[in-house]
Amino acid sequence: MADTVERTEEQWREQLTPEQYEVLRRKGTERPFTGKYVHTKADGTYRCAGCGAVLFDSTTKFDSGTGWPSFYEPAVAENIVLKRDRSWGMVRTEVMCKACGGHLGHVFEDGPYPTGLRYCINSCSLELDER
């Protein structure tokens, strides 16, 4: 499991791009089909753009057609926190980085075998370490 990362809001603003700050710290969402990893097929490990915690592996990435990178399971389940999200008049499950509390996206129960889950994640909340 990744170590807990604590920073002031000013430190987050200095470290992250404006888009990353909006998504990771303010729970925003990038526009569909605009993220850098939507169509990426490169082999590697996806880390949190806020703190570097290992989140997803490319072997679990699939094309969901939704406009955001989708994975059917996390690489390290202990690095992910799930929280009920009732914003925007919907009931969803938010996916957050356990180490830094950054908002990553949401998980839905309409994914492929073997888990049936679709972790729908904002590209700007991720950094890909290619193998």
Side-chain angles (χ1 to χ4, degrees):
M1 184 176 90
D3 294 329
T4 301
V5 174
E6 294 183 27
R7 293 189 176 94
T8 66
E9 288 309 303
E10 183 60 34
Q11 289 170 321
W12 284 120
R13 285 185 187 278
E14 290 174 8
Q15 175 189 334
L16 303 170
T17 68
E19 183 181 34
Q20 288 173 323
Y21 183 83
E22 181 62 27
V23 170
L24 286 164
R25 307 314 309 165
R26 298 181 44 84
K27 302 182 185 286
T29 301
E30 63 193 8
R31 290 187 347 246
F33 301 102
T34 63
K36 64 183 176 180
Y37 298 126
V38 174
H39 301 294
T40 298
K41 297 192 185 324
D43 186 35
T45 301
Y46 289 88
R47 296 179 172 275
C48 176
C51 68
V54 173
L55 300 173
F56 298 97
D57 191 272
S58 62
T59 59
T60 65
K61 188 173 186 284
F62 67 98
D63 183 4
S64 66
T66 61
W68 292 276
S70 297
F71 305 85
Y72 61 78
E73 70 183 349
V76 181
E78 294 82 17
N79 289 351
I80 299 284
V81 172
L82 302 179
K83 180 181 173 188
R84 173 153 271 136
D85 176 3
R86 295 181 180 272
S87 64
W88 301 97
M90 297 179 270
V91 178
R92 302 176 287 177
T93 302
E94 179 183 7
V95 180
M96 298 167 41
C97 175
K98 185 171 185 178
C100 70
H103 171 77
L104 305 171
H106 293 87
V107 62
F108 302 94
E109 295 180 352
D110 61 359
Y113 178 84
T115 66
L117 299 175
R118 172 175 51 96
Y119 288 83
C120 189
I121 307 298
N122 292 284
S123 285
C124 67
S125 67
L126 301 172
E127 292 293 335
L128 174 61
D129 289 343
E130 289 191 38
R131 290 192 271 266

